[in-house]
Amino acid sequence: MRTIGLIGGMSWESSISYYQGLNTGVQQRLGGLHSAKVILHSLDFAPIADAQRNQDWDRAAHPLIAAAKGLRLAGAEGIMIGTNTMHVVADKVQQAAALPLLHIADAVGQALRDDNISTVGLLGTRFTMTLPFYRDHLKTHYGIDTLVPDEDDQQKVHDVIYQELCVGRIEATSKQAYLAVCDRLAQRGAQGIILGCTEIGLLINQQDTPLALYDSAQLHVDYALDWALSSQN
């Protein structure tokens, strides 16, 4: 089993899901008393979020780069960034770590391709929805077109992430608002919806809608497990 270096804390609410998912997945795949070989470096999200607000991506990248270097020295054999938005600096983090980086958009893209999805809706932070890094990755590597909500819906989705989900608040009104955004994306041609923020799966899940939902956090975990256990398959 390869050792995964997980950069978390962005937010720690989703990092819990990552750690639990990795360990549950290993136990299910290998049985017995097996658990995941994970080194977790959990960052303080507040200064990173401040850099995000100012779109100062160099400043936002610094703690992730330092974490990646430390994870390599601690014995990690591959790196995960436990958030969608900060994959905007994935290339810098991978270069610093000098290790494989298990990209969240690859995890999502492979699942979409397997399901023959050609047009997908994307929910996430305003940065993930508006900056090109995520949509371009899906188009370039998987031939998938990505739709994002209109400006008002983007703000609604973004505010719920930072003001509620990242601090552990789950509100029924926000759930209904998200499902309405999903419906509007479907009306524009989305065949499925990417939950492109690792906290969104805390709010909505497949039982809430007939639309196909692609939970980026769970797909990322599964992708990492395939990599970590590839010598066991």
Side-chain angles (χ1 to χ4, degrees), residues 123-145:
L123 303 184
T125 68
R126 183 172 64 251
F127 317 113
T128 299
M129 291 185 286
T130 58
L131 295 175
F133 72 98
Y134 207 96
R135 290 176 282 121
D136 285 357
H137 194 100
L138 291 176
K139 184 63 174 178
T140 300
H141 295 281
Y142 301 95
I144 296 167
D145 293 319

Side-chain angles (χ1 to χ4, degrees), residues 20-212:
Q20 183 176 42
L22 289 168
N23 281 286
T24 300
V26 168
Q27 200 281 326
Q28 289 174 345
R29 295 187 189 203
L30 299 184
L33 297 177
H34 286 288
S35 54
K37 294 175 67 177
V38 181
I39 306 169
L40 171 61
H41 188 138
S42 187
L43 298 170
D44 179 8
F45 189 34
I48 296 170
D50 181 67
Q52 289 176 344
R53 281 190 293 272
N54 292 289
Q55 298 208 43
D56 186 346
W57 299 110
D58 287 337
R59 179 161 63 94
H62 288 163
L64 279 77
I65 289 170
K69 291 177 178 178
L71 288 167
R72 181 191 63 206
L73 292 173
E77 297 168 83
I79 300 294
M80 297 179 76
I81 302 173
T83 169
N84 287 269
T85 297
M86 289 311 296
H87 277 76
V88 70
V89 298
D91 290 345
K92 293 180 179 180
V93 174
Q94 182 166 27
Q95 183 177 11
L99 291 172
L101 186 140
L102 309 176
H103 201 294
I104 198 166
D106 285 324
V108 172
Q110 288 186 13
L112 294 170
R113 183 180 59 193
D114 289 346
D115 288 350
N116 296 313
I117 299 291
S118 59
T119 303
V120 69
L122 174 63
L123 303 184
T125 68
R126 183 172 64 251
F127 317 113
T128 299
M129 291 185 286
T130 58
L131 295 175
F133 72 98
Y134 207 96
R135 290 176 282 121
D136 285 357
H137 194 100
L138 291 176
K139 184 63 174 178
T140 300
H141 295 281
Y142 301 95
I144 296 167
D145 293 319
T146 305
L147 304 176
V148 297
D150 65 25
E151 188 171 342
D152 288 344
D153 281 348
Q154 284 182 25
Q155 192 63 52
K156 186 181 306 177
V157 170
H158 179 89
D159 288 345
V160 167
I161 291 168
Y162 282 89
Q163 297 173 16
E164 298 175 18
L165 301 181
C166 285
V167 294
R169 286 176 52 202
I170 307 298
E171 302 288 348
T173 54
S174 297
K175 181 174 186 172
Q176 293 307 312
Y178 265 51
L179 293 173
V181 173
C182 291
D183 288 342
R184 286 190 281 275
L185 287 169
Q187 291 167 10
R188 290 169 50 199
Q191 300 164 288
I193 305 294
I194 301 169
L195 308 186
C197 175
T198 52
E199 287 84 11
I200 295 178
L202 303 173
L203 181 66
I204 62 174
N205 58 56
Q206 194 58 72
Q207 295 179 340
D208 298 319
T209 175
L211 278 169

